[in-house]
Amino acid sequence: MPSLPTLAVVGATGAVGTVMCELLTGRRNVWGEIRLFASERSVGRRVRCRGEELTVRALTPEALDGVDVAMFDVPDEVSARWAPVAVERGAIVVDNSGAFRMERDVPLVVTEINPDEVRNRPRGIIANGNCTTLAMIVAVAPLHREYGLRELVLASYQAASGVGQGGADALHAQLTRVAGDRMLGSRAGDVRQAVGDELGPFPAPLALNVVPWAGGLADDGWSSEEMKMRNESRKILGLPDLKVSATCVRVPVVTGHSVAVHAVFATEVDAEEAREVLRNAPGVILVDDPTAGEFPMPIDAVGTDPSWVGRIRRALDDPRALDLFITGDNLRKGAALNTAQIAELLARELSRR
């Protein structure tokens, strides 16, 4: 009987890496040895993973020898440097950064949509999508298969943890500063004064506010997060000419990205039929009962695996268009879970050899 493949988790102590370790503990075990890697400040830490206490290692070329699959959750520049090194040492890399997503010879995989693409990896690297795109695309893809998608108009509501633990910490700190003053938010500048200069990774206070910006500055005033939603949706769905317009907004939610979707299709759509499509779609949970106050919301989706979808309506002015609302845990399906699911497909492939 062949031995189980060896897995590396690179970035094991970050916000997403921590969830990766939790998933490895809770999901079916398909791995032999598991090695954890992180930055120098975390080397030597003990992390519980799969019922074991594992010591975090320093990332070196030699430490990657014998690794079959490496899950990366590190900044783009670290992935750009170290993913090719891991491949040279014999590993297949599943990368959660943005370093390789739009490379022509690197597949961008969502396991419910295009799992066969894992075999098309000429560089030995498979990319995982942006967390906001992933939450949305799992629900949009089955509708595309049914009706033929032509256009997406998107508005995101992105959680503080989307920029890492520092984002969640900054939100909690700001909430502490504004708590108890019921007059805050009634005058221009009062929230800024209460929060002070401790903005964390955000360009403005997030507590008692929404910030219509996420990511870095791209061309013509678009943000990098908005461009990711456009470009990654096209690549994942195999629709290079898909019309996509996105506005990304940061909201005072700790974990759970949401997206309001206006989707235009090639044929006329029916809302109840669309609900049935989504009710049977993998990776989706339908929560759509406005009369009972049941909607997809991040406070319910956090800590769960599916994309939650509801508020499904046929557009009033276009019988080919649907409006819907989607939310999902950006640290799970939006990052760690999809990475782990891709890695499990690879483990199955390697075990058959």
Side-chain angles (χ1 to χ4, degrees):
M1 181 176 178
S3 59
L4 294 175
T6 295
L7 176 71
V9 180
V10 182
T13 58
V16 173
T18 299
V19 178
M20 286 179 177
C21 291
E22 292 173 2
L23 290 170
L24 290 169
T25 300
R27 294 178 67 81
R28 186 171 70 89
N29 182 38
V30 297
W31 305 106
E33 181 188 0
I34 295 177
R35 304 178 194 175
L36 306 183
F37 298 92
S39 61
E40 286 296 329
R41 66 179 177 273
S42 295
V43 171
R45 279 181 54 181
R46 302 282 287 174
V47 174
R48 191 158 187 82
C49 181
R50 199 182 53 174
E52 308 170 65
E53 290 285 338
L54 302 179
T55 301
V56 176
R57 310 183 188 194
L59 185 60
T60 66
E62 295 74 21
L64 292 165
D65 287 343
V67 170
D68 297 295
V69 178
M71 301 194 302
F72 273 61
D73 183 70
V74 291
D76 292 8
E77 62 274 13
V78 179
S79 278
R81 176 187 173 192
W82 281 99
V85 173
V87 173
E88 288 174 5
R89 309 303 275 207
I92 304 168
V93 170
V94 186
D95 182 46
N96 191 45
S97 82
F100 302 100
R101 288 175 187 151
M102 299 314 299
E103 298 289 329
R104 289 178 178 270
D105 51 0
V106 174
L108 180 58
V109 174
V110 181
T111 54
E112 293 87 352
I113 300 172
N114 57 347
D116 291 343
E117 285 294 304
V118 299
R119 295 195 289 267
N120 177 30
R121 49 175 194 269
R123 292 170 62 180
I125 300 171
I126 301 167
N128 190 42
N130 168 265
C131 50
T132 317
T133 303
L134 279 169
M136 176 269 300
I137 207 74
V138 171
V140 167
L143 296 173
H144 163 57
R145 287 192 290 267
E146 186 73 19
Y147 301 115
L149 187 63
R150 293 293 180 267
E151 182 177 357
L152 288 172
V153 181
L154 310 170
S156 75
Y157 304 81
Q158 294 178 223
S161 62
V163 292
Q165 187 59 45
D169 291 343
L171 175 58
H172 280 299
Q174 292 178 21
L175 290 171
T176 299
R177 292 191 187 97
V178 302
D181 187 345
R182 296 192 177 188
M183 294 303 295
L184 283 176
S186 61
R187 301 187 315 277
D190 61 354
V191 173
R192 288 185 182 272
Q193 184 176 5
V195 169
D197 296 329
E198 301 299 322
L199 299 178
F202 310 117
L206 193 57
L208 304 182
N209 194 29
V210 297
V211 181
W213 187 261
L217 181 62
D219 293 339
D220 299 322
W222 294 94
S223 79
S224 59
E225 289 284 305
E226 291 158 352
M227 297 307 296
K228 287 175 187 177
M229 293 194 76
R230 174 180 184 266
N231 296 335
E232 293 176 25
S233 296
R234 288 175 158 193
K235 185 172 181 179
I236 292 165
L237 296 174
L239 298 172
D241 298 320
L242 179 67
K243 295 179 180 179
V244 183
S245 180
T247 299
C248 289
V249 181
R250 193 73 65 182
V251 297
V253 169
V254 176
T255 299
H257 288 349
S258 304
V259 185
V261 178
H262 177 80
V264 182
F265 298 93
T267 60
E268 188 170 327
V269 297
D270 175 81
E272 189 52 48
E273 185 180 82
R275 288 187 191 94
E276 193 62 25
V277 169
L278 291 166
R279 188 175 285 115
N280 296 305
V284 172
I285 183 169
L286 183 67
V287 185
D288 195 13
D289 189 354
T291 60
E294 295 180 358
F295 315 107
M297 294 180 287
I299 58 169
D300 301 315
V302 63
T304 71
D305 291 342
S307 290
W308 295 44
V309 60
R311 295 299 325 280
I312 299 166
R313 299 144 285 155
R314 189 166 82 166
L316 294 173
D317 301 313
D318 188 346
R320 300 169 304 127
L322 283 173
D323 288 279
L324 56 152
F325 192 82
I326 304 166
T327 191
D329 188 319
N330 51 289
L331 301 180
R332 292 182 77 87
K333 185 58 183 179
L337 176 62
N338 198 61
T339 304
Q341 289 172 319
I342 295 169
E344 288 167 359
L345 292 177
L346 295 171
R348 194 175 308 140
E349 174 188 326
L350 294 170
S351 297
R352 288 197 296 264
R353 290 181 180 176

mmCIF file with all atom_site columns, all heavy atoms in Angstrom, residues 161-178:
data_model
loop_
_atom_site.group_PDB
_atom_site.id
_atom_site.type_symbol
_atom_site.label_atom_id
_atom_site.label_alt_id
_atom_site.label_comp_id
_atom_site.label_asym_id
_atom_site.label_entity_id
_atom_site.label_seq_id
_atom_site.pdbx_PDB_ins_code
_atom_site.Cartn_x
_atom_site.Cartn_y
_atom_site.Cartn_z
_atom_site.occupancy
_atom_site.B_iso_or_equiv
_atom_site.pdbx_formal_charge
_atom_site.auth_seq_id
_atom_site.auth_comp_id
_atom_site.auth_asym_id
_atom_site.auth_atom_id
_atom_site.pdbx_PDB_model_num
ATOM 1   N N   . SER A 1 161 ? -11.255 41.191 8.741  1.00 0.00 ? 161 SER A N   1
ATOM 2   C CA  . SER A 1 161 ? -10.254 40.124 8.715  1.00 0.00 ? 161 SER A CA  1
ATOM 3   C C   . SER A 1 161 ? -9.762  39.809 7.313  1.00 0.00 ? 161 SER A C   1
ATOM 4   O O   . SER A 1 161 ? -8.824  39.024 7.147  1.00 0.00 ? 161 SER A O   1
ATOM 5   C CB  . SER A 1 161 ? -10.816 38.852 9.359  1.00 0.00 ? 161 SER A CB  1
ATOM 6   O OG  . SER A 1 161 ? -11.945 38.375 8.642  1.00 0.00 ? 161 SER A OG  1
ATOM 7   N N   . GLY A 1 162 ? -10.376 40.419 6.305  1.00 0.00 ? 162 GLY A N   1
ATOM 8   C CA  . GLY A 1 162 ? -9.895  40.221 4.935  1.00 0.00 ? 162 GLY A CA  1
ATOM 9   C C   . GLY A 1 162 ? -8.484  40.718 4.721  1.00 0.00 ? 162 GLY A C   1
ATOM 10  O O   . GLY A 1 162 ? -7.818  40.311 3.771  1.00 0.00 ? 162 GLY A O   1
ATOM 11  N N   . VAL A 1 163 ? -8.017  41.611 5.599  1.00 0.00 ? 163 VAL A N   1
ATOM 12  C CA  . VAL A 1 163 ? -6.623  42.066 5.512  1.00 0.00 ? 163 VAL A CA  1
ATOM 13  C C   . VAL A 1 163 ? -5.760  41.417 6.588  1.00 0.00 ? 163 VAL A C   1
ATOM 14  O O   . VAL A 1 163 ? -4.673  41.893 6.882  1.00 0.00 ? 163 VAL A O   1
ATOM 15  C CB  . VAL A 1 163 ? -6.519  43.604 5.582  1.00 0.00 ? 163 VAL A CB  1
ATOM 16  C CG1 . VAL A 1 163 ? -7.113  44.230 4.345  1.00 0.00 ? 163 VAL A CG1 1
ATOM 17  C CG2 . VAL A 1 163 ? -7.199  44.154 6.836  1.00 0.00 ? 163 VAL A CG2 1
ATOM 18  N N   . GLY A 1 164 ? -6.267  40.321 7.180  1.00 0.00 ? 164 GLY A N   1
ATOM 19  C CA  . GLY A 1 164 ? -5.482  39.602 8.168  1.00 0.00 ? 164 GLY A CA  1
ATOM 20  C C   . GLY A 1 164 ? -5.903  39.922 9.588  1.00 0.00 ? 164 GLY A C   1
ATOM 21  O O   . GLY A 1 164 ? -6.821  40.706 9.841  1.00 0.00 ? 164 GLY A O   1
ATOM 22  N N   . GLN A 1 165 ? -5.180  39.317 10.527 1.00 0.00 ? 165 GLN A N   1
ATOM 23  C CA  . GLN A 1 165 ? -5.514  39.501 11.934 1.00 0.00 ? 165 GLN A CA  1
ATOM 24  C C   . GLN A 1 165 ? -5.405  40.963 12.352 1.00 0.00 ? 165 GLN A C   1
ATOM 25  O O   . GLN A 1 165 ? -6.144  41.431 13.218 1.00 0.00 ? 165 GLN A O   1
ATOM 26  C CB  . GLN A 1 165 ? -4.588  38.639 12.807 1.00 0.00 ? 165 GLN A CB  1
ATOM 27  C CG  . GLN A 1 165 ? -4.963  38.617 14.278 1.00 0.00 ? 165 GLN A CG  1
ATOM 28  C CD  . GLN A 1 165 ? -6.362  38.091 14.520 1.00 0.00 ? 165 GLN A CD  1
ATOM 29  O OE1 . GLN A 1 165 ? -6.751  37.078 13.945 1.00 0.00 ? 165 GLN A OE1 1
ATOM 30  N NE2 . GLN A 1 165 ? -7.130  38.780 15.360 1.00 0.00 ? 165 GLN A NE2 1
ATOM 31  N N   . GLY A 1 166 ? -4.489  41.702 11.712 1.00 0.00 ? 166 GLY A N   1
ATOM 32  C CA  . GLY A 1 166 ? -4.349  43.120 12.030 1.00 0.00 ? 166 GLY A CA  1
ATOM 33  C C   . GLY A 1 166 ? -5.605  43.909 11.752 1.00 0.00 ? 166 GLY A C   1
ATOM 34  O O   . GLY A 1 166 ? -5.919  44.880 12.459 1.00 0.00 ? 166 GLY A O   1
ATOM 35  N N   . GLY A 1 167 ? -6.356  43.519 10.725 1.00 0.00 ? 167 GLY A N   1
ATOM 36  C CA  . GLY A 1 167 ? -7.613  44.187 10.425 1.00 0.00 ? 167 GLY A CA  1
ATOM 37  C C   . GLY A 1 167 ? -8.661  43.931 11.493 1.00 0.00 ? 167 GLY A C   1
ATOM 38  O O   . GLY A 1 167 ? -9.352  44.853 11.934 1.00 0.00 ? 167 GLY A O   1
ATOM 39  N N   . ALA A 1 168 ? -8.776  42.670 11.915 1.00 0.00 ? 168 ALA A N   1
ATOM 40  C CA  . ALA A 1 168 ? -9.739  42.341 12.975 1.00 0.00 ? 168 ALA A CA  1
ATOM 41  C C   . ALA A 1 168 ? -9.360  43.039 14.281 1.00 0.00 ? 168 ALA A C   1
ATOM 42  O O   . ALA A 1 168 ? -10.229 43.571 14.984 1.00 0.00 ? 168 ALA A O   1
ATOM 43  C CB  . ALA A 1 168 ? -9.802  40.828 13.167 1.00 0.00 ? 168 ALA A CB  1
ATOM 44  N N   . ASP A 1 169 ? -8.065  43.046 14.597 1.00 0.00 ? 169 ASP A N   1
ATOM 45  C CA  . ASP A 1 169 ? -7.617  43.706 15.829 1.00 0.00 ? 169 ASP A CA  1
ATOM 46  C C   . ASP A 1 169 ? -7.922  45.203 15.798 1.00 0.00 ? 169 ASP A C   1
ATOM 47  O O   . ASP A 1 169 ? -8.347  45.791 16.801 1.00 0.00 ? 169 ASP A O   1
ATOM 48  C CB  . ASP A 1 169 ? -6.117  43.488 16.024 1.00 0.00 ? 169 ASP A CB  1
ATOM 49  C CG  . ASP A 1 169 ? -5.770  42.039 16.351 1.00 0.00 ? 169 ASP A CG  1
ATOM 50  O OD1 . ASP A 1 169 ? -6.684  41.279 16.736 1.00 0.00 ? 169 ASP A OD1 1
ATOM 51  O OD2 . ASP A 1 169 ? -4.584  41.673 16.214 1.00 0.00 ? 169 ASP A OD2 1
ATOM 52  N N   . ALA A 1 170 ? -7.698  45.831 14.629 1.00 0.00 ? 170 ALA A N   1
ATOM 53  C CA  . ALA A 1 170 ? -7.962  47.269 14.506 1.00 0.00 ? 170 ALA A CA  1
ATOM 54  C C   . ALA A 1 170 ? -9.441  47.569 14.689 1.00 0.00 ? 170 ALA A C   1
ATOM 55  O O   . ALA A 1 170 ? -9.815  48.549 15.351 1.00 0.00 ? 170 ALA A O   1
ATOM 56  C CB  . ALA A 1 170 ? -7.480  47.780 13.151 1.00 0.00 ? 170 ALA A CB  1
ATOM 57  N N   . LEU A 1 171 ? -10.313 46.735 14.130 1.00 0.00 ? 171 LEU A N   1
ATOM 58  C CA  . LEU A 1 171 ? -11.747 46.957 14.284 1.00 0.00 ? 171 LEU A CA  1
ATOM 59  C C   . LEU A 1 171 ? -12.155 46.840 15.751 1.00 0.00 ? 171 LEU A C   1
ATOM 60  O O   . LEU A 1 171 ? -12.891 47.691 16.270 1.00 0.00 ? 171 LEU A O   1
ATOM 61  C CB  . LEU A 1 171 ? -12.533 45.968 13.429 1.00 0.00 ? 171 LEU A CB  1
ATOM 62  C CG  . LEU A 1 171 ? -14.061 46.027 13.601 1.00 0.00 ? 171 LEU A CG  1
ATOM 63  C CD1 . LEU A 1 171 ? -14.611 47.408 13.281 1.00 0.00 ? 171 LEU A CD1 1
ATOM 64  C CD2 . LEU A 1 171 ? -14.737 44.958 12.733 1.00 0.00 ? 171 LEU A CD2 1
ATOM 65  N N   . HIS A 1 172 ? -11.685 45.803 16.424 1.00 0.00 ? 172 HIS A N   1
ATOM 66  C CA  . HIS A 1 172 ? -12.032 45.641 17.841 1.00 0.00 ? 172 HIS A CA  1
ATOM 67  C C   . HIS A 1 172 ? -11.542 46.830 18.667 1.00 0.00 ? 172 HIS A C   1
ATOM 68  O O   . HIS A 1 172 ? -12.250 47.326 19.559 1.00 0.00 ? 172 HIS A O   1
ATOM 69  C CB  . HIS A 1 172 ? -11.441 44.342 18.375 1.00 0.00 ? 172 HIS A CB  1
ATOM 70  C CG  . HIS A 1 172 ? -12.238 43.124 18.024 1.00 0.00 ? 172 HIS A CG  1
ATOM 71  N ND1 . HIS A 1 172 ? -13.540 42.949 18.419 1.00 0.00 ? 172 HIS A ND1 1
ATOM 72  C CD2 . HIS A 1 172 ? -11.902 42.016 17.294 1.00 0.00 ? 172 HIS A CD2 1
ATOM 73  C CE1 . HIS A 1 172 ? -13.984 41.778 17.968 1.00 0.00 ? 172 HIS A CE1 1
ATOM 74  N NE2 . HIS A 1 172 ? -13.013 41.206 17.288 1.00 0.00 ? 172 HIS A NE2 1
ATOM 75  N N   . ALA A 1 173 ? -10.334 47.304 18.378 1.00 0.00 ? 173 ALA A N   1
ATOM 76  C CA  . ALA A 1 173 ? -9.795  48.447 19.121 1.00 0.00 ? 173 ALA A CA  1
ATOM 77  C C   . ALA A 1 173 ? -10.638 49.694 18.880 1.00 0.00 ? 173 ALA A C   1
ATOM 78  O O   . ALA A 1 173 ? -10.913 50.470 19.827 1.00 0.00 ? 173 ALA A O   1
ATOM 79  C CB  . ALA A 1 173 ? -8.337  48.701 18.713 1.00 0.00 ? 173 ALA A CB  1
ATOM 80  N N   . GLN A 1 174 ? -11.059 49.910 17.648 1.00 0.00 ? 174 GLN A N   1
ATOM 81  C CA  . GLN A 1 174 ? -11.888 51.072 17.350 1.00 0.00 ? 174 GLN A CA  1
ATOM 82  C C   . GLN A 1 174 ? -13.268 50.959 18.009 1.00 0.00 ? 174 GLN A C   1
ATOM 83  O O   . GLN A 1 174 ? -13.800 51.953 18.521 1.00 0.00 ? 174 GLN A O   1
ATOM 84  C CB  . GLN A 1 174 ? -12.043 51.228 15.833 1.00 0.00 ? 174 GLN A CB  1
ATOM 85  C CG  . GLN A 1 174 ? -10.761 51.617 15.129 1.00 0.00 ? 174 GLN A CG  1
ATOM 86  C CD  . GLN A 1 174 ? -10.939 51.718 13.622 1.00 0.00 ? 174 GLN A CD  1
ATOM 87  O OE1 . GLN A 1 174 ? -12.052 51.884 13.124 1.00 0.00 ? 174 GLN A OE1 1
ATOM 88  N NE2 . GLN A 1 174 ? -9.838  51.617 12.891 1.00 0.00 ? 174 GLN A NE2 1
ATOM 89  N N   . LEU A 1 175 ? -13.830 49.760 18.014 1.00 0.00 ? 175 LEU A N   1
ATOM 90  C CA  . LEU A 1 175 ? -15.122 49.576 18.660 1.00 0.00 ? 175 LEU A CA  1
ATOM 91  C C   . LEU A 1 175 ? -15.038 49.882 20.161 1.00 0.00 ? 175 LEU A C   1
ATOM 92  O O   . LEU A 1 175 ? -15.978 50.442 20.749 1.00 0.00 ? 175 LEU A O   1
ATOM 93  C CB  . LEU A 1 175 ? -15.628 48.148 18.434 1.00 0.00 ? 175 LEU A CB  1
ATOM 94  C CG  . LEU A 1 175 ? -16.049 47.800 16.998 1.00 0.00 ? 175 LEU A CG  1
ATOM 95  C CD1 . LEU A 1 175 ? -16.328 46.309 16.867 1.00 0.00 ? 175 LEU A CD1 1
ATOM 96  C CD2 . LEU A 1 175 ? -17.276 48.608 16.578 1.00 0.00 ? 175 LEU A CD2 1
ATOM 97  N N   . THR A 1 176 ? -13.919 49.522 20.772 1.00 0.00 ? 176 THR A N   1
ATOM 98  C CA  . THR A 1 176 ? -13.730 49.829 22.191 1.00 0.00 ? 176 THR A CA  1
ATOM 99  C C   . THR A 1 176 ? -13.718 51.335 22.418 1.00 0.00 ? 176 THR A C   1
ATOM 100 O O   . THR A 1 176 ? -14.294 51.845 23.401 1.00 0.00 ? 176 THR A O   1
ATOM 101 C CB  . THR A 1 176 ? -12.420 49.212 22.696 1.00 0.00 ? 176 THR A CB  1
ATOM 102 O OG1 . THR A 1 176 ? -12.485 47.789 22.550 1.00 0.00 ? 176 THR A OG1 1
ATOM 103 C CG2 . THR A 1 176 ? -12.171 49.547 24.160 1.00 0.00 ? 176 THR A CG2 1
ATOM 104 N N   . ARG A 1 177 ? -13.088 52.078 21.508 1.00 0.00 ? 177 ARG A N   1
ATOM 105 C CA  . ARG A 1 177 ? -12.992 53.531 21.666 1.00 0.00 ? 177 ARG A CA  1
ATOM 106 C C   . ARG A 1 177 ? -14.342 54.228 21.506 1.00 0.00 ? 177 ARG A C   1
ATOM 107 O O   . ARG A 1 177 ? -14.592 55.266 22.126 1.00 0.00 ? 177 ARG A O   1
ATOM 108 C CB  . ARG A 1 177 ? -11.995 54.110 20.659 1.00 0.00 ? 177 ARG A CB  1
ATOM 109 C CG  . ARG A 1 177 ? -10.546 53.698 20.932 1.00 0.00 ? 177 ARG A CG  1
ATOM 110 C CD  . ARG A 1 177 ? -9.586  54.505 20.068 1.00 0.00 ? 177 ARG A CD  1
ATOM 111 N NE  . ARG A 1 177 ? -8.235  53.986 20.210 1.00 0.00 ? 177 ARG A NE  1
ATOM 112 C CZ  . ARG A 1 177 ? -7.668  53.120 19.371 1.00 0.00 ? 177 ARG A CZ  1
ATOM 113 N NH1 . ARG A 1 177 ? -8.332  52.690 18.315 1.00 0.00 ? 177 ARG A NH1 1
ATOM 114 N NH2 . ARG A 1 177 ? -6.440  52.689 19.586 1.00 0.00 ? 177 ARG A NH2 1
ATOM 115 N N   . VAL A 1 178 ? -15.225 53.682 20.654 1.00 0.00 ? 178 VAL A N   1
ATOM 116 C CA  . VAL A 1 178 ? -16.488 54.373 20.396 1.00 0.00 ? 178 VAL A CA  1
ATOM 117 C C   . VAL A 1 178 ? -17.632 53.859 21.266 1.00 0.00 ? 178 VAL A C   1
ATOM 118 O O   . VAL A 1 178 ? -18.710 54.468 21.298 1.00 0.00 ? 178 VAL A O   1
ATOM 119 C CB  . VAL A 1 178 ? -16.887 54.260 18.903 1.00 0.00 ? 178 VAL A CB  1
ATOM 120 C CG1 . VAL A 1 178 ? -15.799 54.833 18.014 1.00 0.00 ? 178 VAL A CG1 1
ATOM 121 C CG2 . VAL A 1 178 ? -17.204 52.817 18.512 1.00 0.00 ? 178 VAL A CG2 1
#
